[in-house]
Every structure is written in structure tokens, then in C-alpha cells.
Amino acid sequence: MSGYHPRMPAPRTALVVAGGTREPIDDVRFLGNLSRGRFGAAIASALAEVGVRVRLLAGVELWREPGWTPAAVERRRFGSVAELRAALEDELAAPPDLLFMAAAVSDYSPTPVAGKLPSDAETLTLTLRRNPKLLDGLRERCGVTTFLVGFKLLSGASPGELRAVALRQTRRARLNLTVANDLASISRARHPVLLVTPEGGALPLDGDRADVARGLVDFVLRRFDVTWSKSQRSPGRAAADEGRAGAVELLRFAQSAGLLPTRDGNVSHRDARGDGLWVTPRQVPKDQVQEDALLHARVDLPSRQVRWRPQIDRDDVKPSIDTSVQGWLYAHLPALAGLVHFHEAWARADARTAFPYPCGALRRRARSTKRSRPRRSATGRSSSSFVRHGLLLGVEAEGAARLRDEWATATAAWRAHVAALELPIAPPGPRLRPLLDGARIVGVIADFGDAVTPFLLPDARGAGRGDWIIARLEEREQTVLAADRCEVRDYYLARGFRLERHEAGVARLTAPTARDDLRRAASLSLVHLASGEVLLGRRRTPPWAGYWAFPGGGLEGDETPRAAAERELMEETGVQAPPGAPALRSRVFVGSRERAYQVDNFTLLVAHRDVPRPTAELEARWLPIAEALTIQPMASGTRRVLRRVAAALARGALTEPADRRRAGRGS
């Protein structure tokens, strides 16, 4: 994570609540937990480092360690849940800008006994009463301006379960963020967490306790520094116009394509005059929204006001929280006619945000337009991917009709393909959703519940589209169904998928990211920027004899991937790897019917093209990137990394690390 940006206005105050509670049994005994508050202390320290005035509510163990936080942090002690509740009442009389509820609060408390219970009884029975959830009352106490951060600790949970539990807490307590982690993953050296946002994003942070705390603070400050708008209903009802028809058609497409299965997401479209928009209401089931539920809104950007009217009299709705942002986009991109924001995206986007800003925040969408703005301005068609938060699909005038026709063509082609394979698919069949490349539908993803089948339209195959589909399958740890007559089983096996079973002419394959039997390997891609050449070699030994690949091989003993890659480079080519941080780092999976590997690749930039020597393992040489991309046969993982390197070169994203540039200027 990058550090706190000095141009951001720092919040004035933060309250950090950390440490464990102690629930009295009698005058000398208590029920407690393992928390000492070290992570909360690290958060308080990280906040103080960037100039935030911090107050710390500390449990007993943390209170006894004043050296864990800087002197600038004001401290106050609590013991039991009751004491913590009373302390919060005092502290929240003037709510802080930021509130981190990192305390380990007891869920149950015994009924305390005066004096000391006798210690000679064989058994002791305690009656425990459930404590109210302090977290659930904080939003009402603090109002909407305080950034609330909750915490959730589980033990032995899967990543999916951890994310789901944290998301439920975030939405139930109306938090801005939940910091989730699993007890089994915490050690003295590492404190990994998952940052779960209200919109469903999940961002992992890893490192030691202090580094993770700084990353968390940086994330919170960036999310805090956004511009919001206020919604206000205008008198009367909205009258339908031509823009409403475009909104209806776009909504119908999104619903039929399964893009809006929950309350999340939204649809909007310019109105006929061009100074307003039709938009779906917020927090309603989007797959059930009818035409008369669409709202008409006008966005006043200078005053940050969204004024809206319903078509029918009702006071229980508001326009989508993204209305002001979409109004900003319509104002700045004249060719843009309509927008669909959805979360379950199978898509390759034209642009990607650099940071997961919250829904409705102008900063997020404004920054997302920069890379693809010329294309958007010219055609209106585009898509932007939001970090950990789905996709925004933009369409041109008549774009809703185009998408409707493309979706009909894609689904018809999929059904014809299945019919030709004569596969028995029980009704109602899979749920179909579009594969999107930018704003164009290029195929179908058939979701059978516990497995999926990707289908690319014949004229959309090639151009590296398989790479991003594979990457999406890896990210989701997705199981794939592949029919024998499609002849794609070996395609998946070569990319590290494992054959689980085969029946009735269909193979069931597990994604490499869900496997527990992968071998570890590493490789180096050396790039000479001045010539645009890369070091590649033809392998001389099985199982990939004759295939072009980067120098690399398996890890030995307790080697790190970087050390193994550098050793393999020297052994296979006689070339020594340059020092410094990699310009790119990629992880790919390769395999065969017998074995599969997880390969970490490091792209390093070199000033000189050292001549490689041929060895028994590899015959290497320097090749222009464009030529290297055409060479056959090539290992699938190598080609995937090579395409990423070529794309980075094309957009000028490969630059020499700053430490090496400084060293070069000094020599």
C-alpha cells in the first residue's frame, strides 16, 4: 500500500478501541480472551504518524503497555463490557471522524457474585447472559459523517466464509469497513487481514502487524477523502420521455442477462433533453424493478445535489447512490447514453481504477475515465472495472438495442452448440450470463451452480481472450465442465487444472487455485528496454522438450521463488540476474496429465543483453517481443506472461526501478 497522500485533508480525530474485555465472576475472578490489543495499538500509532489526533480506549492488558503507542496518543482504560459501553457513551458525545472498533468484546457475561466464590467445590456452574452488540448501535450514535471500522475474527474459516461473515456484519451494522482475519493465519511475523467493504469488495493485506496497520490506515484515509452528494425529492411526478425508453430497454437487457440478481448495482440512461437521467432506485431487488419504478434525476455538480422525481407517488425510495457519479460521467462524456453497474462481472474492461473507492464517490469514477476517455468520447461504448467492486458498462445511443441483439445471438449460438454436442442438460438448465470484452458481448458463461462452462463465439476466439477467462476462473477457484467433443480438456490441463472425474462425455476440472498438490516453481523474464527484446529459450528436456519458455525451474528446499528463479537463470543460461525490484510479478499455472506447477515469474529490466550460453536444459536467445509472441510451440504460462509484458511495454508502464536509476546517475 502506498503511504498517506499529503494532499489529502487529514481527519482531525480518531477513536481506536482495542484490547479484550474482562467480565467479573466474583471479586477476584473474571472471564476474558486472548486479545492484548497489539494490532489496535499499531493502528493508533499509524494514525498518529500521519497527523491524526488519536484517542485510545485500551483494555487492561493494553493499558499496562504505554510504550506500544506514541506519547501523542491519548489513552483511557476499560475493563468489562459495561465499562466499555460507558466509556463509549462519553467519547461519542462528540463523534470522531474515524472510529476503529478493534476490541475483543465478550459476547456473554456471567452474573457476578459479591465476595469470592469458594474454591473447594468439584464443579462450578456459571450462568451467562448475552451482551448487546456494541457495534450495531454505533451508526445511530455517530451519525453518517463518522467512518466506522469494525473487526471480525474467526478461527479455521475458509476465505469465502470469512468474507461472507464480514460482509454481513458490514451491512448489518452500517459500517464503512470490516477488517476480517482468521486466528490460524496470525503469527509473530505475519498479521494478514481482509478489508471487506459495504459494496462487497474484499482487499487482502499481508505483512507484519505494523505494515498491515499502516496499509489499513492508508486505505481508510483514501476512502474517507471522497465527495458525496445529497438526494432531495422535487415536487410532482416525472413525465416519461424518449430517454426513459432507453433506460427501460437497458434495464430489460441487464435483467435478462442476469447482471442484476440482487439489490446491488444500477441502471441509468440520459433523458431526452440531455440534462437529466433516468435511474433505478437504491436498495431494491434489481431483478424485479418495473418500468414505473424508474426515477428521473438531475445532478447539480457544483452544489452536490441530486434532485429527483418518481413516476408514481411513493416516498419509500431514493435514486441509486451512484446517481451523482453517473451524472458526472454524462456531463463529461457526450457520446455516453446509458450505464449499467453490476458486480458479477465476467469481463475484460477498457479501464481499471487504481483504488476501490466507495459507491457514490465522485473520485472513484472520475479517475476511472482517464485511460479510456478518448475511446469513450468518440463512441460512447466502454467498460471500467472497479477494484474489488464489479464493472461499469457504458453504451452509446441505441446501445441498449445493440446489447439486446448481441445477447440474443450469443445465447442462440450457445444453445446450438450444446444441441450439436447432444449433451443431456436437465431443465431448467444453467444460468447464462454474458462474457464481455469492453462493451461487446463475445460469449456466454453457463453457470451450473457448482461448475461453469465458458463459451466464446467463433469470431471472438483468439486475441488473448482465453487468458482473461482463465484468470477469472482462477480468481474464483472455479470448477469447469468440458465436453469431450469440444476438445478443450487438454487446454485446461495445460493451464494447471486437475481432472476430477469424467462421465457421460464430460470432464470435470478443478481450477489450479483450488488445488493442494501443486509443485512450486519460478522463472525470470529479462527485458532489454532499449531494443524491446526478451530472453527466451527452447527447452531440451521433458516434459516440455521443444517448447519455448523463460529460464526457470522448481524450488529447492526452503528457497524463495526469487532465489530459485535467479539460480535457474544462471544454471540454464550462464546469465546473472540484475539486482532490484521486479518491474512486473506474475503468477501462472502450468500442467499436464501427470503434474502441475505454480510458477512465480519476475520481470527484470536489464541495461545490457548478456549473451546466454547453451546448456543441457535450455537454448536461449534474445528476441523482439513481437516475434516472441508468434513463436510455436510455447508453454501456456510463458505466453500469458509474455502478453502481459508486451502490453506493459506498449503503454509505457515498464520503467526502471528508482533505486537503479539513482545508481546509474551516480556511476
Side-chain angles (χ1 to χ4, degrees):
M1 299 285 291
S2 59
Y4 173 68
H5 200 291
R7 287 181 297 179
M8 295 181 184
R12 297 185 299 276
T13 58
L15 178 65
V16 178
V17 187
T21 55
R22 292 182 169 191
E23 302 309 298
I25 297 172
D26 57 21
D27 289 353
V28 297
R29 300 180 180 94
F30 63 86
L31 290 179
N33 52 59
L34 296 176
S35 175
R36 300 185 67 193
R38 286 182 176 271
F39 189 46
I43 294 169
S45 300
L47 288 163
E49 285 178 5
V50 295
V52 179
R53 184 162 65 85
V54 187
R55 284 185 59 80
L56 174 66
L57 289 184
V60 174
E61 294 283 349
L62 179 54
W63 177 260
R64 291 172 176 169
E65 301 289 349
W68 288 0
T69 53
V73 174
E74 303 174 29
R75 293 157 52 88
R76 177 174 177 175
R77 179 188 178 280
F78 68 84
S80 66
V81 173
E83 291 174 353
L84 175 56
R85 185 182 299 111
L88 280 171
E89 288 285 333
D90 290 345
E91 297 292 335
L92 299 183
D97 297 306
L98 310 174
L99 173 52
F100 294 80
M101 277 294 293
V105 181
S106 297
D107 293 315
Y108 296 89
S109 296
T111 302
V113 175
K116 179 178 181 293
L117 288 170
S119 57
D120 54 355
E122 290 296 325
T123 61
L124 178 65
T125 301
L126 299 177
T127 299
L128 303 179
R129 66 182 186 279
R130 184 166 184 83
N131 292 318
K133 289 281 188 184
L134 295 180
L135 199 62
D136 290 357
L138 291 179
R139 179 58 70 195
E140 184 177 352
R141 291 281 304 163
C142 296
V144 297
T145 58
T146 296
F147 194 102
L148 294 180
V149 183
F151 291 72
K152 175 60 69 174
L153 175 68
L154 298 182
S155 183
S158 68
E161 181 184 2
L162 185 65
R163 176 183 176 274
V165 170
L167 181 59
R168 286 197 295 271
Q169 172 179 282
T170 304
R171 291 180 172 177
R172 184 196 72 238
R174 298 166 61 199
L175 306 177
N176 297 94
L177 184 70
T178 288
V179 181
N181 55 1
D182 192 274
L183 186 63
S185 66
I186 299 174
S187 66
R188 288 184 178 273
R190 294 179 58 229
H191 195 94
V193 301
L194 194 67
L195 308 185
V196 180
T197 63
E199 61 269 19
L203 179 73
L205 290 180
D206 202 349
D208 64 29
R209 190 181 295 111
D211 283 343
V212 171
R214 291 188 184 98
L216 168 61
V217 167
D218 179 78
F219 184 88
V220 168
L221 293 178
R222 289 175 184 271
R223 295 272 292 196
F224 184 86
D225 178 48
V226 294
T227 300
W228 299 97
S229 296
K230 182 178 180 180
S231 295
Q232 181 177 343
R233 179 173 174 174
S234 297
R237 298 182 186 180
D241 67 6
E242 294 177 6
R244 177 181 173 277
V248 170
E249 190 160 26
L250 196 56
L251 175 64
R252 293 290 172 257
F253 157 73
Q255 291 173 330
S256 68
L259 300 182
L260 302 172
T262 66
R263 294 173 182 268
D264 297 324
N266 53 71
V267 170
S268 71
H269 199 280
R270 286 186 192 271
D271 64 12
R273 292 178 54 182
D275 61 350
L277 62 147
W278 290 93
V279 64
T280 48
R282 75 175 71 170
Q283 286 303 302
V284 299
K286 298 302 188 300
D287 57 344
Q288 301 173 27
V289 171
Q290 299 299 314
E291 297 180 16
D292 60 5
L294 291 171
L295 308 173
H296 185 266
R298 284 191 170 86
V299 179
D300 186 352
L301 292 172
S303 66
R304 295 184 295 178
Q305 290 279 331
V306 176
R307 296 182 176 87
W308 59 277
R309 289 190 180 97
Q311 299 179 77
I312 55 177
D313 286 330
R314 54 184 303 180
D315 296 317
D316 59 337
V317 295
K318 287 185 177 181
S320 165
I321 196 171
D322 269 344
T323 301
S324 61
V325 175
Q326 296 188 3
W328 186 97
L329 289 170
Y330 289 126
H332 288 78
L333 304 173
L336 186 64
L339 290 161
V340 184
H341 175 205
F342 57 101
H343 291 180
E344 294 297 317
W346 288 82
R348 178 164 64 174
D350 298 318
R352 181 178 174 85
T353 59
F355 181 80
Y357 287 104
C359 285
L362 280 172
R363 181 184 297 272
R364 175 177 65 157
R365 304 308 204 279
R367 289 185 175 180
S368 75
T369 64
K370 291 181 180 178
R371 278 174 48 190
S372 61
R373 180 163 181 164
R375 176 177 174 181
R376 290 182 171 192
S377 299
T379 68
R381 300 185 189 183
S382 66
S383 60
S384 290
S385 173
F386 302 127
V387 175
R388 313 284 172 181
H389 185 45
L391 189 115
L392 189 69
L393 176 65
V395 299
E396 72 284 14
E398 308 300 328
R402 173 184 60 81
L403 286 171
R404 178 200 62 203
D405 294 343
E406 288 180 358
W407 182 229
T409 298
T411 53
W414 182 84
R415 293 189 174 94
H417 176 70
V418 171
L421 296 176
E422 300 179 345
L423 294 175
I425 297 179
R431 181 176 63 169
L432 302 183
R433 283 181 290 179
L435 286 170
L436 284 153
D437 191 359
R440 175 192 170 198
I441 297 175
V442 296
V444 171
I445 190 81
D447 189 344
F448 291 87
D450 62 345
V452 301
T453 297
F455 171 74
L456 273 172
L457 293 168
D459 64 352
R461 292 166 191 170
R465 291 192 174 99
D467 282 352
W468 63 260
I469 292 175
I470 290 292
R472 191 71 170 137
L473 294 169
E474 291 171 353
E475 179 184 338
R476 291 168 170 253
E477 299 184 359
Q478 193 78 62
T479 298
V480 172
L481 300 180
D484 290 351
R485 293 179 63 183
C486 287
E487 299 180 348
V488 295
R489 181 171 61 177
D490 287 345
Y491 176 87
Y492 288 111
L493 291 174
R495 285 152 181 81
F497 284 70
R498 179 174 62 199
L499 178 63
E500 294 295 338
R501 65 175 183 265
H502 180 266
E503 57 188 12
V506 176
R508 186 180 182 90
L509 302 116
T510 300
T513 43
R515 297 181 62 165
D516 57 6
D517 61 341
L518 294 172
R519 303 186 184 190
R520 298 288 305 280
S523 63
L524 281 179
S525 46
L526 299 186
V527 177
H528 184 243
L529 274 183
S531 64
E533 292 183 325
V534 63
L535 185 65
L536 276 176
R538 189 191 298 270
R539 296 226 157 263
R540 291 178 163 177
T541 56
W544 286 287
Y547 278 73
W548 288 86
F550 297 117
L555 274 62
E556 296 180 356
D558 59 354
E559 270 187 320
T560 65
R562 175 69 180 267
E566 292 181 356
R567 173 182 53 75
E568 290 285 348
L569 176 69
M570 176 59 71
E571 291 176 357
E572 294 185 341
T573 68
V575 173
Q576 184 171 352
L584 288 175
R585 180 168 180 171
S586 307
R587 174 168 290 175
V588 293
F589 302 91
V590 297
S592 63
R593 293 176 184 269
E594 294 78 25
R595 67 185 72 170
Y597 295 86
Q598 172 187 298
V599 184
D600 288 297
N601 178 271
F602 303 87
T603 299
L604 300 177
L605 307 181
V606 297
H608 306 285
R609 288 167 292 179
D610 293 340
V611 178
R613 58 174 172 81
T615 64
E617 292 85 11
L618 195 73
E619 182 181 0
R621 58 192 175 99
W622 291 94
L623 293 169
I625 289 279
E627 180 183 342
L629 286 169
T630 66
I631 291 179
Q632 297 284 356
M634 179 179 287
S636 61
T638 302
R639 190 171 300 282
R640 188 167 163 186
V641 172
L642 199 57
R643 283 173 174 156
R644 187 178 179 213
V645 171
L649 274 174
R651 64 176 185 268
L654 286 187
T655 57
E656 198 170 14
D659 56 351
R660 204 180 306 161
R661 289 198 301 270
R662 287 193 296 268
R665 286 195 295 268
S667 60

